[in-house]
Amino acid sequence: DAKTTQPTSMDCAEGRAANLPCNHSTISGNEYVYWYRQIHSQGPQYIIHGLKNNETNEMASLIITEDRKSSTLILPHATLRDTAVYYCINNAGNMLTFGGGTRLMVKP
Amino acid sequence: GAVVSQHPSWVICKSGTSVKIECRSLDFQATTMFWYRQFPKQSLMLMATSNEGSKATYEQGVEKDKFLINHASLTLSTLTVTSAHPEDSSFYICSAESNGPKDQPQHFGDGTRLSIL
């Protein structure tokens, strides 16, 4: 079973920041937090990952709380093409267990 | 970056036939590949882990005689759905385990939509 919980769905206005929360209260010390997204009828796409420090790349920023029990994925300027299901996963190896994810709808 | 190619992307076939789906790592070698199944409006569910040169490891509830997995080389794994029936209609996705710098655990293909009539 997935070890993370996320809101089922969220809406965001185009051009605004999308903040997607994830709870992973049982995360172990050696487990990373990974974020993938899945656009309709495609395979999952890697976004970003982190262990305990905040991370930023060309796609998004990841904010991890100091106790590591939760994190937030930030898409700074959401576009219509960011409409997708976003999955937050924590693991220590190469296995990935997908939960329900958050269905983000970016609206004009 | 690492690319995983899945073929075909879409297939329709009659009930009772067998369907083979290929998963290739195009620019890297993958000792381990994974096969997932996704029903409409549901999440990805791991079906099996495919290891090059050895038998696949199936998740509980997945019939190994129905979903045949072959991983004969470091760049190719195949999933054959034998005697397919309408309930096997689903979106099948493969991934390959990263073997370089650990930017991400798995690289995913774009999936195969299987429709059984």
XYZ file of all heavy atoms in Angstrom, chain B residues 18 23 29 32 57 78 85 91 95-96 106 116:
91
model
N -3.818 -13.803 -28.141
C -2.709 -13.396 -27.282
C -2.077 -12.117 -27.831
O -2.004 -11.938 -29.049
C -1.655 -14.503 -27.196
O -2.201 -15.629 -26.525
N 8.857 -3.639 -24.335
C 9.393 -2.514 -23.570
C 10.898 -2.491 -23.782
O 11.585 -3.462 -23.453
C 9.061 -2.694 -22.094
S 9.646 -1.358 -21.029
N 21.164 0.217 -20.356
C 20.850 -1.178 -20.095
C 20.070 -1.297 -18.789
O 20.387 -0.616 -17.815
C 22.143 -2.001 -20.013
C 22.876 -2.058 -21.343
C 24.123 -2.926 -21.287
O 24.757 -3.032 -20.251
N 24.452 -3.555 -22.401
N 16.646 -4.639 -14.551
C 15.307 -4.832 -13.988
C 14.312 -3.913 -14.676
O 14.568 -2.720 -14.832
C 15.301 -4.552 -12.476
O 16.254 -5.404 -11.839
C 13.925 -4.795 -11.885
N 9.167 -11.842 -11.102
C 8.517 -11.921 -9.797
C 7.159 -11.256 -9.901
O 7.078 -10.065 -10.193
C 9.366 -11.218 -8.720
O 10.667 -11.804 -8.691
C 8.703 -11.364 -7.357
N 9.363 -8.250 -22.549
C 8.062 -8.360 -23.204
C 7.026 -8.921 -22.230
O 7.340 -9.736 -21.363
C 8.131 -9.278 -24.443
O 8.535 -10.587 -24.033
C 9.100 -8.736 -25.467
N -9.159 -11.618 -22.541
C -10.603 -11.463 -22.442
C -10.920 -9.999 -22.139
O -10.034 -9.236 -21.743
C -11.153 -12.395 -21.365
C -11.054 -13.841 -21.742
N -11.893 -14.423 -22.678
C -10.204 -14.815 -21.340
C -11.567 -15.696 -22.825
N -10.544 -15.959 -22.030
N -4.714 -0.243 -19.385
C -3.539 0.503 -19.824
C -2.335 -0.148 -19.164
O -2.258 -0.208 -17.939
C -3.701 1.971 -19.396
C -2.716 2.926 -20.002
C -2.499 2.961 -21.364
C -2.032 3.834 -19.198
C -1.606 3.872 -21.927
C -1.139 4.746 -19.748
C -0.926 4.770 -21.111
N 8.353 0.082 -17.074
C 9.412 1.010 -16.662
C 10.713 0.230 -16.538
O 10.717 -0.998 -16.433
C 9.072 1.684 -15.332
O 9.138 0.748 -14.281
N 11.810 0.963 -16.567
C 13.126 0.349 -16.426
C 13.844 0.989 -15.258
O 13.791 2.208 -15.073
C 13.932 0.526 -17.712
N 12.963 4.940 -11.552
C 12.493 4.240 -12.743
C 12.197 5.233 -13.861
O 11.733 6.354 -13.619
C 11.210 3.452 -12.430
C 11.372 2.377 -11.369
C 10.062 1.699 -11.020
O 9.104 1.690 -11.807
N 10.009 1.108 -9.830
N -9.873 -5.406 -25.561
C -10.261 -6.756 -25.987
C -11.761 -6.749 -26.285
O -12.570 -6.389 -25.417
C -9.947 -7.798 -24.915
C -8.499 -7.672 -24.449
C -10.237 -9.203 -25.428
C -7.476 -7.909 -25.514
